[in-house]
Amino acid sequence: LVSDMKNDRPRLEQQVPTLLKQLVDAGQLMAVDTEYRLQTREGALWTHDFNRRRTAVLADDERINSKRAELLRDGTKQALKPISLQQGTSHQPRKLVFELSSSRPSSSNDEVTLWVREGWSDDEKSVLNDARAAGVDSPLLFGYLPRLQHEDLRQAIASHVAAQETLDAHGPAGTPEAIEARKAVETHLEVARHRIQELLGQIMGGAKVFLGGGQEAGGVELADKVQDSANSALERLFPQFSEADHANWGQVVNKARAGDVGALSQVSYQGDVTKHPVCRRVLDQIGAGKKGKEIRENLKSAPYGWPQVAIDGALLIMLLAGNL
């Protein structure tokens, strides 16, 4: 096999993994963790069951598609974990929700929505056209996951499903041969899981995000792209947020409760209480016959998105000043 260490070894190192895989696929070897072992009678039964189930999964397109959608949904959720949305100088926390679907999701009054579609059911052009049609005032974000490594992902899904089914069907192993056979199938499961994660990483890395109007978000990772575009989406969702954007509304509440009629100075306001934008909005809501809970819910939702402490501060200071 090796007569020239310098020239033959690299060639052999390339051939051996391929040959080992062929022997495993043929059922002559078992891959157990990082080792290869000769096939046993018990191992042959487990291997035959695994291969039979894998062939059945590959022939079932509906099942493959369903599992792929599940994996893409989980992969997107994982990729979006680093995102933290806060708005304004008051760092008001905001929530991001995403939906992986071919159908447009319902809009939300207090959340940034990311509508994700994937290349197995839609194409990038359709996603971009929908983003452009939504217009530059839309707070909806449009995401697209490209169709990459289709066959590799299909094969990995089949191996993963078949391995898990085989393990579930055979249950705990009692004999040394069965223990070794089970470890071989567990290795199939782990290899498939690793390959799926690797392929999902490539898909997430190629994802695109568009703002309403069609502007593409910048960034390397999916989280970067969504973070970049979500800040603009927040301004579109809550265009009147700036009226209540101040970090000191908590101090207004405390001072108003203590009887300080000049509590609004904590948010840099010295004029007539009823003319402060937040107080004026609260008065308008009350004038329309709303209950306190309704006022809070209305002003915490779009187009305001105000912190509850700002609404409460306005109520307390107007009560103290005799306006309520």
Side-chain angles (χ1 to χ4, degrees):
L1 291 174
V2 177
S3 59
D4 184 334
M5 289 296 293
K6 182 178 181 180
N7 296 317
D8 290 352
R9 180 175 174 176
R11 175 180 55 79
L12 187 64
E13 287 178 342
Q14 290 178 352
Q15 290 178 340
V16 167
T18 302
L19 295 172
L20 287 170
K21 184 178 184 303
Q22 290 174 0
L23 291 169
V24 170
D25 292 343
Q28 294 172 301
L29 291 181
M30 288 188 294
V32 180
D33 296 328
T34 58
E35 299 177 359
Y36 290 89
R37 302 177 187 176
L38 290 174
Q39 186 65 277
T40 63
R41 180 175 297 179
E42 183 76 17
L45 292 174
W46 285 61
T47 298
H48 174 75
D49 193 19
F50 166 75
N51 288 333
R52 178 182 62 80
R53 293 176 186 276
R54 188 175 185 277
T55 300
V57 175
L58 285 171
D60 190 343
D61 288 340
E62 185 175 344
R63 191 170 187 189
I64 290 281
N65 294 342
S66 176
K67 185 63 176 178
R68 183 182 60 242
E70 177 189 329
L71 291 169
L72 290 174
R73 190 171 290 106
D74 291 344
T76 302
K77 183 178 181 180
Q78 188 66 30
L80 296 177
K81 270 190 174 181
I83 295 176
S84 175
L85 298 185
Q86 295 181 330
Q87 187 175 11
T89 57
S90 58
H91 303 293
Q92 177 66 16
R94 301 297 186 196
K95 187 176 180 182
L96 172 72
V97 295
F98 83 93
E99 185 169 328
L100 179 64
S101 172
S102 292
S103 303
R104 191 187 189 99
S106 57
S107 57
S108 171
N109 285 333
D110 55 3
E111 299 170 333
V112 175
T113 301
L114 170 64
W115 177 19
V116 182
R117 283 179 280 179
E118 36 85 1
W120 285 265
S121 302
D122 293 283
D123 57 70
E124 182 182 338
K125 185 178 180 181
S126 297
V127 175
L128 179 56
N129 287 340
D130 286 343
R132 287 170 174 165
V136 294
D137 294 325
S138 173
L140 183 62
L141 300 179
F142 299 78
Y144 176 71
L145 304 178
R147 174 172 167 150
L148 300 176
Q149 304 284 6
H150 167 70
E151 186 57 30
D152 280 359
L153 183 57
R154 182 170 169 271
Q155 295 289 335
I157 288 172
S159 294
H160 188 278
V161 172
Q164 189 61 65
E165 283 187 349
T166 304
L167 293 170
D168 293 342
H170 286 265
T175 66
E177 277 196 356
I179 291 172
E180 192 170 68
R182 183 176 181 83
K183 285 184 178 179
V185 177
E186 287 173 346
T187 300
H188 281 301
L189 182 66
E190 185 57 34
V191 169
R193 182 184 292 122
H194 178 76
R195 183 57 176 156
I196 286 171
Q197 292 306 312
E198 188 177 54
L199 295 172
L200 285 176
Q202 295 179 27
I203 293 169
M204 297 302 153
K208 293 188 176 182
V209 177
F210 302 97
L211 272 165
Q215 180 183 347
E216 184 175 351
V220 177
E221 303 294 336
L222 177 58
D224 300 329
K225 298 170 184 177
V226 174
Q227 185 84 55
D228 177 64
S229 54
N231 293 327
S232 298
L234 284 172
E235 294 178 4
R236 297 178 180 188
L237 184 60
F238 304 116
Q240 292 174 280
F241 172 72
S242 60
E243 295 176 353
D245 183 22
H246 204 290
N248 292 343
W249 276 107
Q251 297 179 32
V252 173
V253 169
N254 293 335
K255 287 185 173 293
R257 282 177 174 158
D260 184 355
V261 293
L264 285 177
S265 62
Q266 299 301 309
V267 290
S268 306
Y269 184 80
Q270 305 287 346
D272 184 346
V273 168
T274 60
K275 291 183 179 179
H276 187 281
V278 177
C279 296
R280 189 172 67 249
R281 294 285 185 187
V282 171
L283 282 174
D284 290 344
Q285 297 277 329
I286 292 174
K290 295 288 193 302
K291 293 182 179 180
K293 182 180 179 181
E294 292 178 290
I295 292 170
R296 278 180 172 173
E297 293 305 314
N298 287 341
L299 295 178
K300 284 165 65 176
S301 301
Y304 307 101
W306 291 350
Q308 183 171 309
V309 69
I311 304 166
D312 290 350
L315 287 166
L316 286 167
I317 193 64
M318 286 192 291
L319 181 64
L320 182 63
N323 304 114
L324 297 179

